[in-house]
Amino acid sequence: MLDSLAAFAGLTPVECVIVASAIFMAGVVRGFSGFALSALVMASVTVIIPPVELIPLCWFLEMTASIAMVRGGIAEADRGIVTGLVVGSIVATPVGLYFTTTLPVDTSKSIALLTVLALAVTQLARVRWRFLATKPGLYASGITAGVVTGLASVGGLVVALYVLSQDIPARVMRASLVLFLFATSLATFFYLAFFGLVTNTVLARAALAVPLVIAGVYAGKWIFRPSLERYYKRFCLLLLIGLACFGLARNAGIV
């Protein structure tokens, strides 16, 4: 059974187990935090699946997670913030995708991760950027997220940093992130198709991964409860810093 599934996905049985486990755990984090699914998958699976194949797979995972979370999970979202971020991200994603085809993979990913790391550290240090409270700051964050999405499929991390910088309750942050990822996933597919990244292999792997990410998301949604909301922001910032550091260390050949 495992051999057949692995062959269908174009992987070895061991690789199939590793990828499946990573996708499930990423789904759990997504269900709790509202983001980080693609970043976790990219961080843990790029040694097995090349980024050019992993980015479109992440789209299917994100869309599945968004559908699982969007119903009844966006009523508290800040629609004004989400709209600005979506517009900026959609406009800028093709720029990142273009550089993905012209820059070395490690260079593209390092640029994206350094951006995330710098912003996360300042947030954890409670540095307040007044610019982010303005309309230009909102759209600039969306544009940055779009470029990073194209470079390494981790634009959601930039958006998470922007949302976490706002003085709003954890449930509003989470709902806003869920709505943003749902809206941008709808548009991103057309870019992926235009650049020829949606292949039969990607579709086969997506078919196997969808049930895993659904199970993970619902487990994460169960964990997110009022008693844990006060830990939400710090957990998310530490998660972002950990992801960025791990990614940079891997690019440098340290791990």
Side-chain angles (χ1 to χ4, degrees):
M1 179 66 173
L2 179 58
D3 289 343
S4 298
L5 292 175
F8 181 69
L11 303 170
T12 67
V14 172
E15 289 174 338
C16 192
V17 171
I18 293 172
V19 172
S21 300
I23 288 173
F24 173 77
M25 292 307 301
V28 174
V29 175
R30 173 71 144 84
F32 176 80
S33 68
F35 71 99
L37 191 157
S38 291
L40 285 169
V41 173
M42 292 289 289
S44 56
V45 181
T46 48
V47 294
I48 297 174
I49 301 175
V52 70
E53 297 177 14
L54 200 52
I55 288 173
L57 175 60
C58 284
W59 179 88
F60 285 98
L61 301 180
E62 289 286 5
M63 178 54 73
T64 300
S66 293
I67 292 173
M69 296 185 71
V70 75
R71 185 177 179 181
I74 61 172
E76 296 176 310
D78 187 316
R79 306 298 176 89
I81 287 177
V82 173
T83 299
L85 293 172
V86 167
V87 171
S89 182
I90 290 175
V91 169
T93 295
V95 177
L97 287 171
Y98 170 77
F99 282 114
T100 299
T101 63
T102 58
L103 291 174
V105 171
D106 287 347
T107 300
S108 298
K109 190 173 182 181
S110 292
I111 291 171
L113 291 172
L114 281 170
T115 300
V116 171
L117 178 59
L119 293 172
V121 169
T122 59
Q123 285 281 340
L124 194 62
R126 298 184 180 181
V127 174
R128 302 300 295 269
W129 297 89
R130 294 182 180 179
F131 176 67
L132 294 180
T134 66
K135 283 290 184 182
L138 172 62
Y139 286 101
S141 298
I143 290 170
T144 302
V147 173
V148 172
T149 294
L151 286 174
S153 193
V154 294
L157 302 189
V158 175
V159 169
L161 285 165
Y162 177 86
V163 173
L164 290 169
S165 73
Q166 307 302 303
D167 189 18
I168 52 180
R171 60 184 181 278
V172 178
M173 293 180 184
R174 180 172 176 266
S176 298
L177 289 169
V178 170
L179 182 57
F180 167 83
L181 290 170
F182 177 71
T184 51
S185 292
L186 293 173
T188 302
F189 180 79
F190 296 101
Y191 294 141
L192 295 173
F194 177 79
F195 281 90
L197 298 178
V198 182
T199 64
N200 289 335
T201 299
V202 169
L203 293 174
R205 290 169 178 167
L208 296 177
V210 163
L212 295 170
V213 79
I214 290 174
V217 165
Y218 276 100
K221 288 174 66 177
W222 179 81
I223 295 172
F224 185 84
R225 56 189 67 188
S227 61
L228 298 178
E229 283 189 27
R230 58 180 174 171
Y231 304 111
Y232 175 82
K233 186 172 182 176
R234 182 170 292 274
F235 168 81
C236 290
L237 288 173
L238 291 173
L239 172 64
L240 290 167
I241 291 171
L243 285 170
C245 288
F246 181 80
L248 289 168
R250 170 168 287 175
N251 277 7
I254 297 173
V255 294

